Amino acid sequence: MPKSEKRVTKGFGFYLLMLILVLFAAFMIIVCIMMFSPKKVILGYQYFVYGEEKILETTTDDSATPFDFANTNKIVINGANSKISIIKSDKATKENVIIVNKSNGFAKWSDNVNFSYSVVYEVQGEGESATKTLKIDVSQPQGFLHFTSDFQVVIRVPGKGGYNFENTAFDVTTTSGSVIVGNTTALQDKNADANMNINNLSVSTDSGRVLLTKYNEQKFNNISVSTKSGSFTSEVETLNVESSAKFITTNGSITLKNFAFKNDKDEDDVSKTLDLNLENGSFTAGKVAARIDFVAASAKINVDNVVGSFVGNDAADKIDRTNIVIGEVGGNVSLPSVKASDVNIGNVGGEINIESTSGNITVGSIKEVSWLKTESGKISAVVSDKYINQEHYFSTDTGEIDVTYTAAIISKNTIESVSGKVTLNIASRYKFLLTFKDATGKLYEKLNDKIAIDFVTDDQFTNPLKVNGYNGTNYYVEILTNGDIKASLIKA
């Protein structure tokens, strides 16, 4: 390369570097001006910064009414993306509402970067029948870039004095802010009580985390939680509810330790319904002393023990691929259309109705009437009849069926599979009638490669087979399939 061309290349690079440095310096000057002049619009952008923490003891309107939570019927909080806390404190001597805004960032010229809040009482009616509602509304600065976003609304009462919210309903709404109900740690003052007593709670959030801490009295009157992608967690050992309970999520999670409905005698009332709308979320719990009614699409349900019934009747048109695992159900199970969902239930005390398409169905102990049906999924069931003349029906088109009888067969049993394999395990010494048919209902005349029975030989085979000399027709197992059949005796 000629020397003149080298000089031109070096000169161009030098001037390009200088241009970049000048532009960067200009940018930094503009940023500094914006940061030292908040809300000043330059080139279509503005900077905002706040560092506020207001401890309020009265309303923000001209009346400046002191807070009286014990005589407030309802507290409504519209917190935007604020963190909402309801706590007791050693530091508080009066009832407070604390508003925190510690935030900074950049916004477009058209964004509203103002911060405002309103805390006012609304009174409806007159005299003793009047209802008082405390409304807390927060408007937060908008922006496309937030360096810090510490927004909080705190309902705070003294740890001493027996403060509670027995007569106050909470209605909380946030977008991404978390909601913490109750203290997260014990109070330092040993004479103070950290436990919160809230009877009625309703929370709605988009992506926020909702936490019911262990410092809450265990008994509620009504509780409702709705979250899109957020979570709800209860640290209360047993969440006791008197009237209604509903949990809704789109993609979030609901986690309870234990749950129970209580009647006026403080006894478990399993006739009342815990409503779950899970969509694609999850529900996890230990013992649930209630009837569970759920709606889901592709959710996960994991419960150790449902004392009442487990019902998905309203999920028939919505459910797709939900995974259901329950250790024990004391009442009935009704899942009339769970499509591709897998269902695994340990012990069932009542009647069972489960139908799927490609989902697998597993039931660990069946005592009453049962109807298990799937198109291509596998059915695994254990039957231990409790009452005479019960009817059990197991059906699949192409899937396998595996049924084990651990008690005397005193029921009517039909096992159908068009082409799937059927495996039968029977406790020895019980008497019943065993019939083998193809899928069209035609009796198999003799043993063949498809039929394997380990307790009879070819010359002993009859169809129907009178197991252990049974001479009746009331108690039977009828198998219909074009697939393989295997029947075995097991120890009782």
Side-chain angles (χ1 to χ4, degrees):
M1 181 183 292
K3 292 183 178 180
S4 59
E5 291 184 10
K6 290 182 178 180
R7 285 195 295 271
V8 170
T9 302
K10 290 181 179 179
F12 176 78
F14 172 78
Y15 287 116
L16 178 62
L17 178 62
M18 290 298 296
L19 177 62
I20 293 173
L21 290 174
V22 170
L23 291 175
F24 179 74
F27 172 75
M28 292 305 298
I29 291 171
I30 292 173
V31 170
C32 289
I33 294 173
M34 293 173 69
M35 294 184 72
F36 284 102
S37 302
K39 300 183 182 180
K40 184 178 181 65
V41 178
I42 301 177
L43 299 177
Y45 296 94
Q46 57 183 322
Y47 175 75
F48 63 89
V49 59
Y50 292 95
E52 300 182 26
E53 181 173 335
K54 303 289 186 181
I55 301 177
L56 308 176
E57 295 181 354
T58 65
T59 59
T60 58
D61 57 3
D62 293 338
S63 68
T65 305
F67 298 130
D68 183 10
F69 296 149
N71 294 307
T72 300
N73 301 96
K74 193 173 187 179
I75 297 178
V76 178
I77 304 173
N78 295 308
N81 63 340
S82 300
K83 174 184 176 182
I84 312 296
S85 301
I86 305 170
I87 63 171
K88 287 185 174 182
S89 173
D90 291 327
K91 298 178 181 179
T93 57
K94 294 182 179 180
E95 297 153 309
N96 304 141
V97 174
I98 303 175
I99 307 293
V100 176
N101 174 18
K102 297 178 181 179
S103 62
N104 66 321
F106 286 95
K108 297 179 181 178
W109 69 270
S110 57
D111 290 335
N112 182 5
V113 296
N114 294 321
F115 172 73
S116 63
Y117 57 88
S118 171
V119 184
V120 297
Y121 271 112
E122 291 185 356
V123 181
Q124 293 182 334
E126 297 180 356
E128 295 182 358
S129 61
T131 58
K132 292 176 62 178
T133 300
L134 182 67
K135 295 194 68 175
I136 303 173
D137 292 287
V138 177
S139 178
Q140 295 164 345
Q142 300 174 343
F144 64 87
L145 178 62
H146 287 261
F147 297 115
T148 58
S149 314
D150 183 8
F151 303 107
Q152 296 186 49
V153 176
V154 182
I155 304 295
R156 188 177 70 172
V157 297
K160 294 181 180 180
Y163 281 85
N164 62 67
F165 296 96
E166 288 182 345
N167 303 315
T168 307
F170 279 87
D171 189 344
V172 181
T173 303
T174 72
T175 51
S176 60
S178 58
V179 180
I180 312 297
V181 181
N183 291 43
T184 55
T185 60
L187 297 178
Q188 294 180 353
D189 188 343
K190 295 181 179 180
N191 296 319
D193 182 12
N195 285 332
M196 197 75 68
N197 191 346
I198 297 175
N199 275 358
N200 298 285
L201 177 66
S202 176
V203 179
S204 178
T205 179
D206 289 343
S207 58
R209 176 177 70 104
V210 183
L211 174 64
L212 192 64
T213 75
K214 64 180 180 179
Y215 292 100
N216 278 277
E217 296 292 338
Q218 298 192 19
K219 198 165 188 178
F220 284 70
N221 185 34
N222 300 283
I223 187 167
S224 173
V225 177
S226 176
T227 173
K228 292 181 180 178
S229 59
S231 64
F232 171 72
T233 303
S234 172
E235 294 180 346
V236 177
E237 192 60 35
T238 299
L239 182 58
N240 296 317
V241 178
E242 286 188 351
S243 297
S244 66
K246 187 170 188 177
F247 299 105
I248 302 172
T249 185
T250 304
N251 294 292
S253 62
I254 308 295
T255 304
L256 310 177
K257 285 191 173 182
N258 300 289
F259 177 92
F261 272 111
K262 295 293 183 180
N263 57 26
D264 54 3
K265 297 179 181 179
D266 203 35
E267 299 171 336
D268 290 347
D269 187 352
V270 297
S271 67
K272 292 184 177 179
T273 300
L274 170 61
D275 289 314
L276 301 176
N277 192 331
L278 302 176
E279 292 295 326
N280 302 314
S282 66
F283 175 76
T284 304
K287 179 180 178 181
V288 177
R291 164 190 164 122
I292 292 181
D293 270 22
F294 80 94
V295 175
S298 297
K300 292 182 179 180
I301 300 175
N302 194 317
V303 184
D304 292 340
N305 183 5
V306 179
V307 181
S309 295
F310 183 73
V311 180
N313 294 342
D314 294 334
D317 296 329
K318 297 182 179 181
I319 201 166
D320 181 27
R321 193 180 292 274
T322 291
N323 184 271
I324 299 171
V325 179
I326 301 177
E328 182 175 0
V329 177
N332 300 328
V333 174
S334 180
L335 305 173
S337 179
V338 292
K339 296 182 182 176
S341 303
D342 288 338
V343 180
N344 189 325
I345 302 176
N347 181 60
V348 179
E351 299 181 0
I352 308 171
N353 174 25
I354 305 175
E355 289 195 28
S356 73
T357 52
S358 59
N360 298 322
I361 302 172
T362 302
V363 182
S365 179
I366 297 173
K367 296 180 176 64
E368 296 190 23
V369 174
S370 62
W371 175 284
L372 307 183
K373 185 176 182 180
T374 179
E375 293 177 8
S376 59
K378 179 179 180 180
I379 295 175
S380 300
V382 176
V383 178
S384 51
D385 288 329
K386 186 177 180 180
Y387 306 105
I388 64 172
N389 294 324
Q390 301 292 310
E391 294 186 7
H392 306 298
Y393 180 74
F394 310 100
S395 173
T396 178
D397 291 340
T398 59
E400 296 182 20
I401 299 178
D402 189 328
V403 182
T404 299
Y405 293 87
T406 59
I409 299 176
I410 52 176
S411 55
K412 300 173 174 63
N413 298 265
T414 302
I415 302 174
E416 290 186 345
S417 180
V418 176
S419 59
K421 178 181 179 181
V422 174
T423 301
L424 196 66
N425 298 295
I426 309 156
S428 58
R429 79 176 178 272
Y430 298 130
K431 298 180 179 183
F432 64 97
L433 195 66
L434 181 58
T435 304
F436 303 91
K437 298 179 180 179
D438 64 17
T440 65
K442 182 181 178 182
L443 286 170
Y444 284 107
E445 295 181 358
K446 60 182 180 178
L447 294 176
N448 54 47
D449 293 341
K450 287 188 174 183
I451 303 176
I453 306 174
D454 68 1
F455 50 89
V456 295
T457 60
D458 289 351
D459 58 342
Q460 294 173 327
F461 178 75
T462 60
N463 196 6
L465 182 63
K466 300 177 181 181
V467 179
N468 290 324
Y470 180 69
N471 291 317
T473 57
N474 289 332
Y475 309 142
Y476 62 82
V477 176
E478 184 177 65
I479 300 174
L480 300 92
T481 183
N482 291 333
D484 294 340
I485 300 173
K486 181 180 179 181
S488 305
L489 289 179
I490 58 175
K491 292 182 179 181

